[in-house]
Amino acid sequence: MRLIISFAALLLSVVLLQLSTGGVGPLDAISGLTLGFSKEQIGLLGSAHFLGFFIGCWWSPRLMGTVGHSRAFAAFTALGAIGLIGHTLTNNPLAWAAMRIASGLCVAGCYTVIEAWLNAKVTNENRGRAMGSYRIVDMGASLAAQLIIAVLPPAAYVSYNMLAILCCAALLPLTLTRASQPETPSAPRLRPKLAWRCSPLAVAGVIVAALSSASFRMVGPLYGQEVGLEIDQIAFFLAAFVLGGALAQYPMGWLADKYDRRWVLIWLSVAAILSSGITIWASGMGTLAVMSSAGLFGFTTFPIFSVSAAHAHDFAKSDERVELSAALMFFFALGAIASPFTASALIENYGPRALFAMIAVGHLALILFGLNRMRARPTPEERTQYVYAPRTSFIIGRLLKRSREKR
């Protein structure tokens, strides 16, 4: 019963945290449009978020080792709440970018604590159920977070304070649980060369995954506004992307376990290019067509990170899995930092279709690189199991390590 209560507290904290920090991205984009920010400035907000996320992934395990899980979680939650409330004090886009760094720190830090705590509580007997519940809760809360902007007025005091309240509420389940704090895990070494040594194609795949998801989620509201969507429709547009990605996990996982993962990546990129073209075509075909194209885009692009990670782990030793997961997250963060600002600049200069043109070019490069890599070495005879890999923290590799080794 204690274990169940402990898991419930962790999962409730995930829901509240995701509703808060997952909603600030689209709200910032819509608020920036309302306040007259340029498209580059709005893109800068998304890039600043991922800069804070990267810093938080690196720093949070070390802070946990110094002050413990609960205090570290409280510190990162406070940073997130400060960043949200600070939006109401000024309308300066550079100040907002600094506050989004705080939000990114909050996301990475809080997820690091939650996943380290969860990893310490699971056993081989309950790992599958615990991870399944964690994925469902995280994806469901992410979907709900995109819908928040349908009910929150942009650039309004009440909107940012509501998100700040949710962020503070995430403190309560984890800090009030009676379950004892686990021992602090050692921080994984950051070894980017390990990921490149295991699979250059996987590195390219996670960068292109960042190009697709980070630019869409942070700059997607700009595209929606440019093609004539209302604010509540933009919320459903973003939610359709997340829903499409969630629906893709099982069939793409089955394909990745049955066939050569390099071919799965290549055909996913082909599908992503087609879905980018369909999204551009659907922009003038009405609201339903735009929503459907967003779901298709999510279906074709969301699994690329997990397929890439599974391919990299096929070439890794058991004792390298945690550090490999951290290295792949490192490359994802680099791509996510650069993508929103680049996408917004392209939209500013070439119109809303430039967002999907940029994504299509990235996937074309991945196809060509994948075909080239297929000539470099054969597929390994023994492969790891496909696992949906959340892009949450460097610690996530510890939770997924044993799941990957089950065949």
Side-chain angles (χ1 to χ4, degrees), residues 211 276-277 280 346 352-363:
L211 175 75
S276 295
I280 293 173
L346 288 173
R353 296 180 177 181
L355 168 63
F356 291 99
M358 178 191 78
I359 292 171
V361 168
H363 283 280

Side-chain angles (χ1 to χ4, degrees), residues 197-241:
R197 176 177 64 79
C198 288
S199 174
L201 178 59
V203 171
V206 299
I207 292 174
V208 172
L211 175 75
S212 303
S213 63
S215 57
F216 187 92
R217 295 182 77 165
M218 296 298 170
V219 186
L222 291 182
Y223 176 86
Q225 188 261 351
E226 290 283 339
V227 300
L229 296 181
E230 300 295 333
I231 291 178
D232 58 337
Q233 294 173 332
I234 291 174
F236 287 102
F237 177 67
L238 296 174
F241 167 75

Side-chain angles (χ1 to χ4, degrees), residues 286-320:
T287 302
L288 180 60
V290 172
M291 300 298 176
S292 300
S293 67
L296 177 63
F297 181 76
F299 190 92
T300 58
T301 58
F302 219 90
I304 287 178
F305 181 92
S306 296
V307 176
S308 299
H311 180 61
H313 280 276
D314 289 343
F315 299 96
K317 300 176 183 177
S318 179
D319 59 356
E320 293 176 330

Side-chain angles (χ1 to χ4, degrees), residues 326-341:
L328 292 173
M329 280 290 299
F330 166 81
F331 284 108
F332 179 85
L334 290 184
I337 290 169
S339 299
F341 181 77

Side-chain angles (χ1 to χ4, degrees), residues 49-316:
H49 172 87
F50 285 106
L51 175 60
F53 174 81
F54 172 73
I55 296 170
C57 283
W58 176 83
W59 180 42
S60 49
R62 292 155 181 81
L63 183 64
M64 272 198 308
T66 303
V67 302
H69 290 67
S70 293
R71 289 181 179 179
F73 190 85
F76 284 117
T77 305
L79 277 174
I82 290 169
L84 288 165
I85 295 172
H87 280 73
T88 64
L89 304 179
T90 178
N91 292 334
N92 185 296
L94 293 180
W96 278 29
M99 295 164 198
R100 286 300 297 277
I101 292 176
S103 296
L105 277 164
C106 171
V107 171
C110 289
Y111 269 105
T112 297
V113 173
I114 289 169
E115 288 168 0
W117 203 316
L118 187 61
N119 181 66
K121 298 296 181 183
V122 297
T123 64
N124 288 339
E125 289 72 25
N126 63 24
R127 182 178 297 271
R129 293 191 300 275
M131 284 305 299
S133 300
Y134 179 60
R135 291 171 187 137
I136 291 171
V137 166
D138 183 59
M139 291 290 287
S142 178
L143 180 64
Q146 308 311 306
L147 299 173
I148 282 182
I149 61 171
V151 296
L152 294 179
Y157 179 88
V158 65
S159 300
Y160 286 100
N161 274 266
M162 183 61 68
L163 294 183
I165 289 171
L166 288 170
C167 188
C168 292
L171 271 168
L172 300 177
L174 191 140
T175 55
L176 294 180
T177 180
R178 289 188 172 186
S180 59
Q181 294 189 62
E183 293 183 7
T184 302
S186 59
R189 287 184 299 166
L190 194 53
R191 298 169 57 195
K193 288 183 179 179
L194 172 63
W196 184 262
R197 176 177 64 79
C198 288
S199 174
L201 178 59
V203 171
V206 299
I207 292 174
V208 172
L211 175 75
S212 303
S213 63
S215 57
F216 187 92
R217 295 182 77 165
M218 296 298 170
V219 186
L222 291 182
Y223 176 86
Q225 188 261 351
E226 290 283 339
V227 300
L229 296 181
E230 300 295 333
I231 291 178
D232 58 337
Q233 294 173 332
I234 291 174
F236 287 102
F237 177 67
L238 296 174
F241 167 75
V242 176
L243 179 60
L247 294 176
Q249 293 305 319
Y250 180 80
M252 291 304 119
W254 181 82
L255 289 172
D257 281 342
K258 187 173 180 61
Y259 299 103
D260 188 330
R261 285 168 180 165
R262 294 170 298 184
W263 278 118
V264 175
L265 273 177
I266 288 169
W267 283 110
L268 273 174
S269 283
V270 171
I273 293 172
L274 292 175
S275 66
S276 295
I278 290 171
T279 304
I280 293 173
W281 169 80
S283 61
M285 302 296 292
T287 302
L288 180 60
V290 172
M291 300 298 176
S292 300
S293 67
L296 177 63
F297 181 76
F299 190 92
T300 58
T301 58
F302 219 90
I304 287 178
F305 181 92
S306 296
V307 176
S308 299
H311 180 61
H313 280 276
D314 289 343
F315 299 96

